[in-house]
């Protein structure tokens, strides 16, 4: 395929890079990457060794000592040029994202656009790494906060966003004066290798320090664990399952490191009797089936007032009947494959469990086979009538299953159902009633990190801080003041007087 050649993807690829050089290890095993689109091999990647890791992190640590001294606006200029490079390779990289991961071509290109957008945001942020001046209680004193570069920032990304999540972390970290060490999902390493190739041109053209952007593709049990335990990596951003995040956070916290956790979501949309259903429908369907239900912000629960329940069910089922499932590189298709057959099995098992608990599948749920579906990873998105209390509904199944849940009474009852799960990432309500909307956004409303009115749960903008509460992890990435997590905070006090008064009026005469 032409886009593989354009991105520098070979039949066999090395798995560790300092940004300019690739380590040549070949004795640690080989990942053979098969596309979920057609079941065909794409390429292979040699796994990195623990020695490779040591070399990579040492190079990144040395690069940090240089990079932290570069003025932030000049760091922003390098990021600006990365954004230009990504624009140049947007179509090719978007196609690779689609082919290696399985999301639609539109979403693949959209993910690269997110990378471009975060570069633009980071460039502006490079001139706004602000502190706050605080009034001192002592005469002739001034206090203020300032932020310094932190060090090597680790990024552990998941398969569902092979490139965007890395950029949220790496571009913000770069303007903050940090270097970045990326461990991508072993299911989609080719996208990471392609990005590393794209970055190399900017690194060379600007004589940037080698080790500014590093990559390591290796086993979690060896390379991953070393990264979690490494004091040279003061901050690690982890995107993945709650189980992965819980383990990572425990290991990192034992060495007093910092972590940003972007974990599970069990996102819901509330439809009140005052909802504009015509407006809500696209948000519901895209939220539930976009990326084949493999977004952390995917809509998994639809909480519907009993007075409009039957109408909503009919409209949703009708919309699902028009979905086209097929090759995601064909822009006429709406839904591509799941990432692998393991995900298909999880999809099947969830539908069995929900029926055992008393739920009813009202449409979809079957697995495609035959011509065009040779990979065995294509499913028909399912709509299921269920109760919020079902064990399977309480879990996050990373697949296109939408649970219809009925509520009665006022919006507070819907909010109680909405909040009645352990995850707390994204949430939405559709209503034209101001009181309902304001209650949903209030302290007694949604307990999620993201709460929307009259838009869906999926598709957050990079300008806002992205992240959630409860078992979603509590971290924040991307916009707003999320940049502060990538820096070390310092409070400074300056005495410009001729005496030394102590705080709290303490007298200490000598």
């Amino acid at each position: 395929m032409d886009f593989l050649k354009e991105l520098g993807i070979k039949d066999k690829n090395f798995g560790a890079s300092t940004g300019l050089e690739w380590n040549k290890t070949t004795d640690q095993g080989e990942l053979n990457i098969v596309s979920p689109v057609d079941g065909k091999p794409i390429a292979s990647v040699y796994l990195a060794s623990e020695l490779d890791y040591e070399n990579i992190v040492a190079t990144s640590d040395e690069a940090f000592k240089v990079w932290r001294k570069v003025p932030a606006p000049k760091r922003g200029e390098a990021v600006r040029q990365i954004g230009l490079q990504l624009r140049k390779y947007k179509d090719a990289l978007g196609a690779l994202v689609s082919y290696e991961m399985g999301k639609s071509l539109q979403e693949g290109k959209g993910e690269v656009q997110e990378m471009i957008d975060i570069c633009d945001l980071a460039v502006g942020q490079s001139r706004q790494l602000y502190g706050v001046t605080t009034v001192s209680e002592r005469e002739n004193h001034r206090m203020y906060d300032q932020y310094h570069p932190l060090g090597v920032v680790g990024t552990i990304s998941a398969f569902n966003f092979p490139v965007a999540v890395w950029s949220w972390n790496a571009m913000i970290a770069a303007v903050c004066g940090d270097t970045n060490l990326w461990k991508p999902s072993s299911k989609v390493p080719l996208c990471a290798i392609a990005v590393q190739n794209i970055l190399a041109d900017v690194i060379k053209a600007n004589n940037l320090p080698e080790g500014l952007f590093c990559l390591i593709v290796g086993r979690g049990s060896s390379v991953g664990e070393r990264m979690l335990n490494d004091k040279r990596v003061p901050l690690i951003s982890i995107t993945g399952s709650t189980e992965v995040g819980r383990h990572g956070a425990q290991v990192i916290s034992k060495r007093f490191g910092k972590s940003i956790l972007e974990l599970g979501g069990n996102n819901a949309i509330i439809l009140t009797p005052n909802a504009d259903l015509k407006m809500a429908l696209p948000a519901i369907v895209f939220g539930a089936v976009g990326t084949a239900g493999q977004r952390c912000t995917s809509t998994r629960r639809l909480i519907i007032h009993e007075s409009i329940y039957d109408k909503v069910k009919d409209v949703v089922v009708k919309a699902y009947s028009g979905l086209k499932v097929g090759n995601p590189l064909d822009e006429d298709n709406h839904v591509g494959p799941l990432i692998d057959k393991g995900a298909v099995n999880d999809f099947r098992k969830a539908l069995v469990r929900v029926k055992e608990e008393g739920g009813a599948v009202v449409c979809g749920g079957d697995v495609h086979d035959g011509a065009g579906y040779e990979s065995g990873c294509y499913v028909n998105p399912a709509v299921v009538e269920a109760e919020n209390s079902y064990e399977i509904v309480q879990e996050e199944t990373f697949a296109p299953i939408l649970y219809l849940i009925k509520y009665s009474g006022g919006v507070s009852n819907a909010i109680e159902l909405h909040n009645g799960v352990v995850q707390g990432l994204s949430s939405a309500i559709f209503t034209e009633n101001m009181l309902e909307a304001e209650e949903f956004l209030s302290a007694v409303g949604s307990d999620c990190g993201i709460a929307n009115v009259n838009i869906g749960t999926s598709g957050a903008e990079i300008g806002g801080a992205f992240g959630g509460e409860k078992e979603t992890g509590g971290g924040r990435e991307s916009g707003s003041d999320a940049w502060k997590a990538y820096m070390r905070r310092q409070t400074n006090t300056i005495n410009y007087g001729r005496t030394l008064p102590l705080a709290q009026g303490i007298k200490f005469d000598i």
Side-chain angles (χ1 to χ4, degrees):
M1 294 185 175
D2 291 342
F3 60 80
L4 295 175
K5 184 178 180 180
E6 184 177 351
L7 295 168
I9 302 298
K10 304 177 177 66
D11 289 339
K12 293 181 179 293
N13 303 271
F14 295 109
S17 169
T18 60
L20 293 176
E21 300 293 331
W22 291 89
N23 289 21
K24 301 299 193 285
T25 299
T26 59
D27 62 356
Q28 296 297 302
E30 194 172 355
L31 288 175
N32 294 299
I33 307 304
V34 175
S35 172
V37 173
D38 55 18
K40 295 179 180 179
I42 309 174
S44 67
V45 181
Y46 291 113
L47 291 169
S49 66
E50 293 186 46
L51 179 59
D52 288 330
Y53 173 83
E54 289 300 317
N55 292 334
I56 293 291
V57 78
T59 302
S60 191
D61 192 37
E62 287 301 309
F64 168 68
K65 296 173 184 176
V66 175
W67 188 242
R68 64 184 175 181
K69 298 178 183 178
V70 176
K74 291 186 177 180
R75 300 194 294 249
E77 170 57 19
V79 170
R80 186 187 72 83
Q81 294 184 38
I82 291 171
L84 293 178
Q85 280 293 95
L86 289 170
R87 285 174 171 88
K88 179 180 176 182
Y89 290 98
K90 178 179 175 178
D91 287 347
L93 185 56
L96 177 57
V97 168
S98 179
Y99 191 56
E100 186 179 24
M101 184 269 155
K103 64 176 59 176
S104 70
L105 184 58
Q106 301 96 310
E107 290 184 86
K109 292 179 181 180
E111 184 169 344
V112 181
Q113 185 62 49
E114 279 194 44
M115 302 174 78
I116 294 167
D117 292 344
I118 199 68
C119 286
D120 290 349
L121 184 145
V123 172
Q125 191 67 68
S126 70
R127 293 182 180 271
Q128 299 184 74
L129 302 178
Y130 54 84
V132 176
T133 299
T134 304
V135 176
S136 173
E137 67 181 47
R138 292 172 283 189
E139 294 181 357
N140 301 321
H141 281 59
R142 179 166 64 89
M143 290 196 302
Y144 67 94
D145 292 341
Q146 64 175 333
Y147 293 84
H148 294 301
L150 185 62
V152 181
V153 171
T155 302
I156 298 175
S157 60
F159 76 85
N160 58 332
F161 281 87
V163 292
V165 169
W166 166 81
S167 69
W168 296 352
N169 290 276
M171 296 302 101
I172 299 296
V175 298
C176 289
D178 304 324
T179 57
N180 188 263
L181 174 58
W182 185 11
K183 184 181 182 301
S185 166
S186 60
K187 295 181 179 182
V188 288
L190 300 178
C191 288
I193 291 170
V195 170
Q196 202 76 358
N197 291 337
I198 292 170
L199 294 172
D201 290 339
V202 179
I203 294 170
K204 292 173 185 175
N206 292 272
N207 196 29
L208 302 179
E210 183 175 9
L212 177 56
F213 300 108
C214 294
L215 176 70
I216 192 90
V217 181
R219 292 186 178 86
S221 58
S222 54
V223 169
E225 288 301 312
R226 290 185 78 89
M227 188 173 174
L228 295 177
N229 283 281
D230 197 337
K231 290 185 177 181
R232 293 168 295 181
V233 186
L235 170 67
I236 299 180
S237 172
I238 301 175
T239 302
S241 68
T242 299
E243 291 72 24
V244 168
R246 180 179 287 113
H247 170 71
Q250 289 173 345
V251 174
I252 295 166
S253 65
K254 285 181 180 178
R255 61 174 173 87
F256 294 100
K258 297 168 65 179
S259 60
I260 298 173
L261 303 177
E262 299 291 355
L263 311 177
N266 198 344
N267 316 293
I269 293 176
I270 294 173
L271 295 179
T272 80
N274 300 297
D276 182 335
L277 297 184
K278 185 177 180 180
M279 178 188 291
L281 186 63
I284 294 166
V285 178
F286 176 73
V289 309
T291 323
Q294 295 171 119
R295 290 181 176 226
C296 51
T297 56
S298 290
T299 305
R300 311 214 177 275
R301 297 176 295 141
L302 191 59
I303 301 172
I304 312 160
H305 192 269
E306 60 182 358
S307 65
I308 58 172
Y309 181 87
D310 290 336
K311 180 179 180 180
V312 170
K313 181 176 73 170
D314 290 344
V315 169
V316 169
V317 169
K318 182 179 180 181
Y320 269 56
S321 68
L323 291 174
K324 295 179 181 178
V325 179
N327 189 319
L329 295 172
D330 181 347
E331 296 193 51
D332 288 334
N333 290 326
H334 301 107
V335 185
L338 294 174
I339 185 64
D340 54 28
K341 291 181 180 178
V344 174
N345 287 334
D346 289 342
F347 174 77
R348 282 171 160 159
K349 290 177 182 177
L351 295 178
V352 170
R353 285 182 58 189
V354 75
K355 285 187 283 188
E356 289 175 346
E357 291 191 67
V361 178
V362 295
C363 75
D366 49 314
V367 179
H368 286 278
D369 55 18
Y373 304 109
E374 288 84 358
S375 68
C377 297
Y378 292 87
V379 303
N380 264 341
V383 177
V384 181
E385 292 186 290
E387 298 289 341
N388 203 63
S389 58
Y390 292 172
E391 288 185 9
I392 188 59
V393 175
Q394 291 287 309
E395 299 174 12
E396 179 191 37
T397 302
F398 226 53
I401 301 174
L402 178 64
Y403 297 114
L404 306 184
I405 299 166
K406 187 184 298 184
Y407 82 94
S408 58
V411 72
S412 58
N413 293 338
I415 292 171
E416 183 178 359
L417 288 171
H418 172 279
N419 293 349
V421 293
V422 296
Q423 307 87 354
L425 179 53
S426 187
S427 60
I429 188 171
F430 277 82
T431 179
E432 294 185 339
N433 182 302
M434 183 186 71
L435 300 182
E436 292 177 334
E438 289 294 337
E439 183 172 346
F440 181 73
L441 299 178
S442 74
V444 298
S446 168
D447 61 2
C448 292
I450 299 169
N452 299 326
V453 175
N454 293 332
I455 63 172
T457 64
S458 190
E461 295 183 33
I462 55 93
F466 182 88
E469 301 299 324
K470 302 190 291 187
E471 291 192 5
T472 298
R476 295 296 187 274
E477 294 171 333
S478 197
S480 186
D481 66 347
W483 62 270
K484 293 179 180 179
Y486 302 89
M487 306 195 81
R488 60 180 178 88
R489 183 172 182 168
Q490 187 177 79
T491 300
N492 305 113
T493 305
I494 299 171
N495 177 2
Y496 55 90
R498 296 296 181 183
T499 61
L500 183 64
L502 302 177
Q504 293 85 44
I506 293 174
K507 301 294 183 181
F508 186 71
D509 297 323
I510 55 172

